[in-house]
Amino acid sequence: MLFRPASIAILCVVALTALRLDAAPASRGGGGGQNNTVDVELVLAVDISYSMDMDELALQRDGYSRALTSREFLNALRQGIHGKIAVTYFEWAGSTDQRVVVPWRVIEGPESAGSVANEISQAPLRRAARTSISGALLFAQSLFSSSGQRGIRRVIDVSGDGANNSGQLVVVARDEVLSKGITINGLPIMLKRPSYSTMDIEQLDEYYEDCVIGGPAAFVVAVKEREKFVEAIRTKLVLEVAGLRPAEKVMKASSANPRVPCTVGERLWQERWGN
């Protein structure tokens, strides 16, 4: 299901209010086993393939850093049952190219949020070949075993500007991740006109909806304007921390009748390179 940042502001307020009313004060205190319990274990999986230019990579980094320290995100954090989340940030490209930039960190307020944001912004920028969303999803799934936390929810937040063209088929990887009870949300980046040279596709948001995301209340926030990038990331993180369930019915992701073929990336790669 596709959401645009401006259209869900009211839903965010409703969700956060409900969380505040439902949260039991005793659950924040934490003795014993409660100390390692967080509202969500969140994996941020960020595309650094060559189709992303250096300006976009910097914009992406800045967007996550600013979103994590925003008033909206910190307010959402405070409204959670435990008032803290566990987060890790990694960058990906081809099927075997995934690199953790920020290992698991617990965010429980402005100081820890600022520390994570600083780690993201200070890491050197890099780019790499191919686009393997499937590789990113499977790598993200493996990271949960080392979080050191027990989240009420487990979420993978995957961003990218192209379709899967390397590694396992994306729907196979997606279904494996979903079978573990993990939710996948998407942030398709659609800032440039599709071109043959970059093998971009025009309906990337629909591709993400039909082929990539899934799980309880899974959603897509598309980025189509540079000036909306930070807002889109902030909106997405607020929804993920709040555990927002949109009023509209969320349809299960399915490769049976996708609007965009889930193998479009592989086809475009084969047509251009022949392998």
Side-chain angles (χ1 to χ4, degrees):
M1 178 163 291
L2 176 65
F3 291 92
R4 308 204 183 279
S7 68
I8 51 182
I10 295 176
L11 290 175
C12 286
V13 172
V14 171
L16 294 176
T17 301
L19 281 171
R20 182 170 60 250
L21 292 175
D22 290 340
S27 64
R28 285 187 182 273
Q34 292 293 327
N35 289 334
N36 291 337
T37 302
V38 294
D39 294 311
V40 60
E41 294 170 72
L42 177 62
V43 177
L44 302 177
V46 180
D47 182 10
I48 58 160
S49 58
Y50 280 126
S51 58
M52 300 277 290
D53 61 41
M54 295 303 289
D55 286 342
E56 288 175 329
L57 293 178
L59 180 66
Q60 190 169 229
R61 285 274 190 89
D62 182 61
Y64 279 102
S65 296
R66 291 171 61 183
L68 286 168
T69 55
S70 68
R71 181 183 69 250
E72 293 86 350
F73 172 79
L74 293 172
N75 283 341
L77 186 69
R78 283 191 289 269
Q79 302 305 324
I81 294 175
H82 300 286
K84 58 183 178 178
I85 68 168
V87 62
T88 183
Y89 180 106
F90 79 91
E91 295 174 335
W92 59 271
S95 60
T96 60
D97 192 327
Q98 301 91 24
R99 187 176 300 177
V100 174
V101 174
V102 180
W104 284 106
R105 300 282 187 262
V106 173
I107 297 179
E108 50 191 343
E111 184 176 349
S112 49
S115 178
V116 172
N118 186 61
E119 285 189 76
I120 292 173
S121 63
Q122 294 300 313
L125 291 173
R126 73 181 187 97
R127 299 164 74 198
R130 305 292 294 264
T131 299
S132 182
I133 300 173
S134 59
L137 292 178
L138 295 174
F139 182 78
Q141 173 187 296
S142 72
L143 292 177
F144 286 108
S145 63
S146 62
S147 76
Q149 304 294 320
R150 183 169 59 86
I152 297 173
R153 292 173 290 114
R154 286 182 164 181
V155 177
I156 297 171
D157 176 338
V158 59
S159 65
D161 72 340
N164 192 80
N165 63 34
S166 172
Q168 197 172 69
L169 295 179
V170 68
V171 293
V172 175
R174 177 202 64 194
D175 290 347
E176 179 177 334
V177 172
L178 297 184
S179 72
K180 310 298 184 183
I182 300 167
T183 293
I184 304 168
N185 294 328
L187 186 81
I189 301 169
M190 307 169 69
L191 300 179
K192 294 178 291 193
R193 293 180 61 85
S195 69
Y196 178 76
S197 62
T198 58
M199 293 181 288
D200 296 328
I201 62 173
E202 187 172 358
Q203 298 165 306
L204 185 63
D205 48 358
E206 294 181 357
Y207 173 86
Y208 262 70
E209 284 192 276
D210 294 354
C211 307
V212 178
I213 70 166
F219 63 89
V220 164
V221 176
V223 184
K224 298 185 178 181
E225 303 172 62
R226 284 180 180 267
E227 58 270 24
K228 298 290 186 182
F229 201 97
V230 174
E231 178 187 354
I233 294 178
R234 183 176 62 237
T235 297
K236 194 160 181 291
L237 290 178
V238 167
L239 292 174
E240 286 163 342
V241 171
L244 178 64
R245 291 179 178 273
E248 296 88 346
K249 182 178 180 181
V250 177
M251 301 302 292
K252 183 181 184 299
S254 173
S255 60
N257 295 292
R259 290 163 292 176
V260 179
C262 294
T263 56
V264 62
E266 287 85 352
R267 177 177 59 78
L268 289 172
W269 183 271
Q270 185 173 38
E271 288 177 357
R272 183 174 180 186
W273 299 107
N275 59 13

